[in-house]
C-alpha cells in the first residue's frame, strides 16, 4: 500500500465496526471486499475473562508479515467467512508479526495462544487462504448449535474469527 490516506483510515474504522458488530476477534480487508493487506484484531487480554467486544483494544496491521512462529497447538477455529461452522486445526503457540500501524509507523506484535492464532488466521485471509483450506476434508467441519452461538458469541474466545 503506497499511502495511508483518509480512505484507508475510514476503511480501518469500518473494519473495526464490522468485526465488533459480528462479535469477531479479527477481520481482513479481503473479507469486506477490499483487496488490500490490512488486518484488524481485537483479542481479549485474558481468554478466561474476556471484556465485551467493543471494549477490546484493537491491533491494526497494514502490509503485515509473519516473521517468526514457534510451537504448535490444536485449536477450534471458526470464521466470519464460513458462518455456522468450526473445525479443529493446528496453529502456532507463538507468532511474531510486523507491519505498519494506522499512522504508518513500523510495529512488531508478539502474540501467544489466541493472539497468535488470530494473527495467523487474518494473515491467511490476506493471502487468499481460509481455515477450511487446512482441513483434509470438509467432513471435519462441525456445525455450530444456535444456542452455542448465543451463549459463547461463537467468534469470541477460542472459536474466534478470527
Amino acid at each position: 500500500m503506497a499511502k495511508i490516506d483518509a480512505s484507508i483510515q475510514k476503511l480501518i474504522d469500518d473494519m473495526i465496526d464490522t468485526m465488533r458488530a459480528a462479535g469477531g476477534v479479527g477481520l481482513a480487508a479481503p473479507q469486506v471486499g477490499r483487496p488490500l493487506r490490512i488486518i484488524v484484531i481485537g483479542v481479549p487480554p485474558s481468554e478466561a475473562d474476556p471484556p465485551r467486544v467493543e471494549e477490546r483494544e484493537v491491533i491494526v496491521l497494514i502490509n503485515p508479515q509473519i516473521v517468526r512462529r514457534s510451537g504448535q497447538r490444536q485449536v477450534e477455529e471458526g470464521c466470519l467467512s464460513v458462518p455456522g461452522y468450526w473445525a479443529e486445526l493446528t496453529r502456532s503457540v507463538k507468532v511474531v508479526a510486523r507491519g505498519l500501524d494506522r499512522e504508518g509507523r513500523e510495529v512488531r506484535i508478539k502474540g501467544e495462544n489466541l493472539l497468535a492464532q488470530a494473527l495467523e488466521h487474518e494473515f491467511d485471509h490476506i493471502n487468499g487462504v481460509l481455515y477450511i483450506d487446512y482441513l483434509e476434508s470438509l467432513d471435519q467441519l462441525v456445525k455450530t448449535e444456535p444456542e452455542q452461538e448465543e451463549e459463547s458469541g461463537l467468534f469470541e474466545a477460542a472459536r474466534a474469527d478470527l
Side-chain angles (χ1 to χ4, degrees):
M1 179 169 321
K3 186 177 167 190
I4 303 170
D5 59 16
S7 68
I8 297 300
Q9 295 294 344
K10 180 168 179 3
L11 172 62
I12 292 168
D13 290 338
D14 290 347
M15 288 174 62
I16 293 168
D17 291 345
T18 300
M19 173 188 69
R20 287 178 170 161
V25 298
L27 195 66
Q31 288 178 278
V32 294
R34 299 294 300 270
L36 299 171
R37 298 182 64 80
I38 301 172
I39 63 175
V40 297
I41 296 175
V43 173
S46 164
E47 291 178 45
D49 187 25
R52 295 184 336 198
V53 70
E54 64 274 5
E55 296 171 349
R56 296 180 191 161
E57 182 179 333
V58 176
I59 296 167
V60 174
L61 283 177
I62 300 167
N63 295 329
Q65 297 176 321
I66 292 181
V67 295
R68 192 172 351 154
R69 302 171 202 250
S70 62
Q72 290 186 333
R73 70 182 190 125
Q74 290 301 115
V75 298
E76 292 177 349
E77 192 162 299
C79 182
L80 298 174
S81 298
V82 187
Y85 292 91
W86 62 273
E88 189 171 292
L89 61 131
T90 303
R91 289 288 188 187
S92 301
V93 173
K94 295 180 181 180
V95 169
V96 178
R98 71 176 182 202
L100 302 177
D101 68 11
R102 68 183 305 162
E103 283 78 39
R105 297 180 300 239
E106 176 118 4
V107 294
R108 281 178 90 81
I109 306 293
K110 293 179 182 179
E112 282 189 53
N113 299 318
L114 184 57
L115 179 54
Q117 181 182 351
L119 287 164
E120 287 183 315
H121 182 104
E122 300 310 330
F123 186 77
D124 283 347
H125 273 299
I126 61 173
N127 289 313
V129 176
L130 296 175
Y131 80 98
I132 60 174
D133 295 326
Y134 293 112
L135 304 178
E136 291 181 24
S137 165
L138 292 181
D139 293 336
Q140 292 174 269
L141 287 172
V142 177
K143 181 128 179 76
T144 304
E145 299 297 324
E147 60 273 3
Q148 240 184 328
E149 289 184 36
E150 290 172 17
E151 289 172 11
S152 69
L154 176 60
F155 300 105
E156 307 238 20
R159 278 193 206 118
D161 181 65
L162 299 176

